[in-house]
Amino acid sequence: MTLTRDFFARSVHEVAPELIGATLLFDGIGGEIVELEAYHHTDPAAHSYGGLTPRNAVMFGPAGFAYVYRSYGIHWCLNFVCEQEGSASAVLIRALRPRTGLKVMRRRRGLSDERLLCSGPGRLCQALKITGSHNGLALDAPPFELSARPALPDIVVGVRVGITKAAEKPWRYGLAGSPFLSKRF
DNA sequence: TATGAGATCAACT
DNA sequence: GTTGATCTCATAC
């Protein structure tokens, strides 16, 4: 079942755990989401916390769109915008279990180890070839294709990775026992 | 296993 | 000028 914009037009804290196990394809390539983090606009660690800037503008728009930003000047990171327009909340997609397009992903990443293809926000964008040019695209139309999970998975919760502000908030979600996580919980 | 450097850019002080 | 929602490679323990 395809995930529509309505799916994302709810609290990030509701949407985030429901995305674990969902399938993300970009140009037909991708896999199951096994790890992500929620960023709420009242959260000091969120890009939108300080108000609207050219970079984070998409977060202030309607739910169901992709927010892509450059991280540390090198990597691209993919987020899904949630809640209502102006609420500026999003989930950061941190890891996938590669399912389709393995050959292409291996070539793009220059690696053969399946576990390292999409186990991190920057790695995942390199494997799916997502860049800043895709910032603001709708999630319910090509090249994106998002499908709901077939069954309720075992979900683990933890603290988020690589942040200093509000670092104690337990807003990181993962698929229990998955070998494709970027870090252990 | 763990720590450190380098790559490199936008926002912020 | 500093910091960061990161990754890779190198060197050390």
Side-chain angles (χ1 to χ4, degrees), chain A residues 16 19-22 24 32-38 78 80 91-97 118-121 123-124 155-156 159-161 171-176 178-185:
Chain A
L19 279 171
I20 295 294
L24 164 65
E32 293 165 25
I33 297 171
V34 295
E35 181 185 343
L36 50 76
E37 290 174 359
L78 171 67
F80 297 162
V91 294
L92 168 71
I93 310 305
R94 287 193 53 88
L96 300 182
R97 173 188 188 152
C118 299
S119 59
R123 292 167 171 173
L124 167 168
I155 294 176
V156 284
V159 295
R160 294 174 293 180
V161 176
W171 291 340
R172 176 173 177 235
Y173 301 90
L175 180 62
S178 172
F180 301 97
L181 301 174
S182 66
K183 282 185 176 152
R184 296 198 73 79
F185 277 74

Side-chain angles (χ1 to χ4, degrees), chain A residues 10-87:
Chain A
R10 295 176 291 144
S11 162
V12 269
H13 301 307
E14 275 182 50
V15 175
E18 290 185 28
L19 279 171
I20 295 294
T23 294
L24 164 65
L25 298 181
F26 186 81
D27 270 337
I29 288 167
E32 293 165 25
I33 297 171
V34 295
E35 181 185 343
L36 50 76
E37 290 174 359
Y39 288 87
H40 193 258
H41 67 288
T42 57
D43 165 15
H47 283 174
S48 54
Y49 181 68
L52 193 150
T53 66
R55 177 174 69 155
N56 67 22
V58 173
M59 286 184 78
F60 288 84
F65 286 80
Y67 165 49
V68 183
Y69 71 93
R70 203 189 262 291
S71 173
Y72 290 89
I74 318 276
H75 308 286
W76 294 105
C77 296
L78 171 67
N79 295 253
F80 297 162
V81 177
C82 295
E83 305 198 5
Q84 290 96 29
E85 185 163 359
S87 76

